Structure formats: C-alpha cells, structure tokens
Amino acid sequence: MPPRKRQKPASTAPVMPANPKSSNGPRPAQSSNGLLAVPVEILDLISMHFGPCIPIPSRVPDAAMPKEYRDRTLSLRALSQTCHHLRLVFLTLLWETWNICVSPPSGAAFYKVLGDQLQRTSLGLVSEPELLSLVKTVNVVLTRYSAAEVLPPFARCLTQMPNLHTLQITHAHRAMTTHLKDNFAGISLPSIRKIILPSWAHEVLRCCPEVRHVVCSDGQKDESKLVSAIAKCCKKVEIIEWFWLQDNSVKRLVKAAPNITQVLFERDPGVVSLFAPLTTRFLFKCRLGVGHNQQPLRHQEFGHHCNSMHASRDASNSSVCRIP
C-alpha cells in the first residue's frame, strides 16, 4: 500500500475581506508587482486625472452638472472591478464622494433619471454598511419627481453615513420646500460640518445641528430663511459664504450665530457699511474675507472703508450686500 501524501499545513496569513475597510481603518495590503505596488496616495493623485471633480462649492447655470463630471466615477468603478487588490483601493476612492447630480448621457429628462437613481442607490446602500462608512461627501440634485418615494430613503440613507461631513445640494426645485419639510422631519445629521444649498432648501439645514460652514448657492436676495434656520438649529456655525443680506439680516445673523468667525463677501460699499454698526468685539473676532480671492480685511482697514464708503451707500440708498 503506497504511503499517504503529507498534507500541507494551513496558511496562517490573514484573509483579506471581500468588502473594503473604512477609510478610517487600516489600509489594505498591496502587492509588490506592477501597478499594485504603487502607494495608495499616488493612485489617488492619478485618479484626479480620470476626469474633473465636482467643485465644492459650485454654481452651475443648469439644474444638473455637465456630463464630463461622470468620467472619473466611471473610471473608478471600472478599476474597482478589475481585481481584488485594485478593488480594495479604488472602491474606497469611488465612494468617498457620492454624486447624484450629473446630466444623464442620453437625452432623457434629468429629473427622472436622477430621481430614479437616487431612490435605487439609497435603498441599495442601506444594506451595505461598509460602503456607507466610506461616503464623506454627497453632491445631489433634488426635484419634485416622485418626492414621496425618493426623499424618504435618501434621508434615511444620510443618517447611516457615519463619516459624512459635506452635503452639497447642487439644485433643488423652488417649489419643494414642503416636500423637504415633510420628508426630513425628525432627521438628524450630526456628522455634517459643511453644507451648500439654495435658500429654499433650508429645511435640510435644520437637520444639521453640528454644521460649521454654510454656503448659499442660489444667488437670490433673501437668505432670511437660512438665517432663521441657523438661529434655531445651527448655533455652532462659524463660516458663511455667498449670502445676500439686508440691514436687519446682518444683526440677526450675528445674534443667531454667536460663534461666527469668518464672513466672505465682495469689497463693496454696501457690504462694508452694513457691518459698521457691529461691535468692536465682533470685528476683532470675525475674519471678513473680501474680493474674489477672499483676502482678509484687517480691523483698521475695515473701519477706514466703513467711513469712506458711507457716502456711496447713502447715495445709492441700497441696503443689500453680497457675500460671494
């Protein structure tokens, strides 16, 4: 009877999980050959050339972002499906930013395509906690299309993203304030630190009690709803951008956000003089960014501009100021 063959001892090497680890945990081991030997940081830089990233904050003339913003997502998805090791790297890069705001490739109605995609992806992500933990930024278009079916799963999905810190609503229909109020009622998003939204989406802002940075993206001349939301639900706001403010709104804003440290606005007579009545304590505490490059305005320079520009503002009798 021939001797039995010896069995090889079981390997003691750890088995890599099929799903990627959270970006906050240990990075996956990489092979030492070819592309797999490239450090993760270099692969991240390479991925920046796959296509443009959606700017934050961004302003677009159309409701949906141009189609070229789809290229990077498609490339990352393809690479994440190439092999096990590349999946561990590129799946993390793919889901760091969740984009539901790019124009569809065909001529279909954007609101229907993006609405169906938002509902489908929201329902799918809820059953994938590993992917939910990867998402850090969400860029989304919100419309009235099937709002009762689309918004509830999206709102629930946001609450289950522990590392989500930036929410950008690139477009929201002007007449959907009631839809947002009904479907975001009782929702809390404490992980969000920066939010970009139009003023009529203020109901979403009320769900972000820990937000520090608020950007108004609609370019309208009345942010009173956002100021009210900050006053009631977002006391920790420190930075505001792109606001249009009137005399009473400036005072309400300072009272509503006692921790405000930075206000970004253009060098405009109406802007500077509106802040003139504020206390010296506020001026020393708050960094006032001026001009398109948002250079800081020193307290002494601020006082000089207030004095020299009062006449110009009084002549125009305009109380509206621009904070870009």
Side-chain angles (χ1 to χ4, degrees), residues 92-158:
T92 299
L93 298 178
L94 171 64
W95 282 102
E96 278 184 344
T97 302
W98 180 25
N99 298 324
I100 308 289
C101 60
V102 182
S103 299
S106 62
F110 80 93
Y111 58 86
K112 186 178 187 304
V113 174
L114 295 182
D116 291 339
Q117 182 184 358
L118 181 60
Q119 181 184 13
R120 183 173 60 253
T121 310
S122 298
L123 293 173
L125 280 175
V126 171
S127 61
E128 297 288 345
E130 293 84 2
L131 295 182
L132 287 170
S133 66
L134 297 178
V135 180
K136 298 179 180 179
T137 300
V138 173
N139 298 301
V140 65
V141 166
L142 301 178
T143 69
R144 294 182 298 173
Y145 169 75
S146 300
E149 291 75 33
V150 174
L151 293 180
F154 173 62
R156 290 195 300 269
C157 187
L158 292 179

Side-chain angles (χ1 to χ4, degrees), residues 126-254:
V126 171
S127 61
E128 297 288 345
E130 293 84 2
L131 295 182
L132 287 170
S133 66
L134 297 178
V135 180
K136 298 179 180 179
T137 300
V138 173
N139 298 301
V140 65
V141 166
L142 301 178
T143 69
R144 294 182 298 173
Y145 169 75
S146 300
E149 291 75 33
V150 174
L151 293 180
F154 173 62
R156 290 195 300 269
C157 187
L158 292 179
T159 63
Q160 300 182 42
M161 295 178 175
N163 298 314
L164 176 65
H165 57 69
T166 301
L167 173 61
Q168 177 167 226
I169 302 175
T170 60
H171 169 79
H173 196 281
R174 292 172 178 266
M176 66 178 307
T177 303
T178 302
H179 294 292
L180 294 175
K181 182 178 181 179
D182 294 341
N183 292 288
F184 277 83
I187 296 295
S188 180
L189 305 172
S191 66
I192 291 181
R193 296 297 183 268
K194 182 174 183 177
I195 185 169
I196 302 95
L197 75 171
S199 57
W200 46 86
H202 56 87
E203 294 295 341
V204 180
L205 177 59
R206 295 175 183 270
C207 301
C208 308
E210 302 293 327
V211 68
R212 302 297 198 273
H213 191 164
V214 181
V215 183
C216 182
S217 60
D218 57 51
Q220 301 301 309
K221 295 185 178 181
D222 183 13
E223 271 74 44
S224 59
K225 296 292 186 181
L226 291 180
V227 175
S228 298
I230 292 173
K232 187 173 182 180
C233 306
C234 311
K235 292 289 188 178
K236 298 182 180 180
V237 169
E238 299 175 358
I239 304 173
I240 63 167
E241 286 187 69
W242 291 359
F243 275 56
W244 283 82
L245 295 174
Q246 299 180 3
D247 285 336
N248 58 338
S249 297
V250 172
K251 297 177 182 178
R252 289 183 59 216
L253 178 63
V254 175

Side-chain angles (χ1 to χ4, degrees), residues 1-16:
M1 184 175 181
R4 295 181 179 179
K5 294 183 179 180
R6 293 183 179 180
Q7 295 182 352
K8 295 182 179 180
S11 175
T12 59
V15 179
M16 295 300 295

Side-chain angles (χ1 to χ4, degrees), residues 249-272:
S249 297
V250 172
K251 297 177 182 178
R252 289 183 59 216
L253 178 63
V254 175
K255 184 177 180 180
N259 297 317
I260 192 168
T261 59
Q262 190 173 11
V263 180
L264 303 179
F265 58 92
E266 291 177 339
R267 190 184 296 270
D268 176 81
V271 177
V272 178

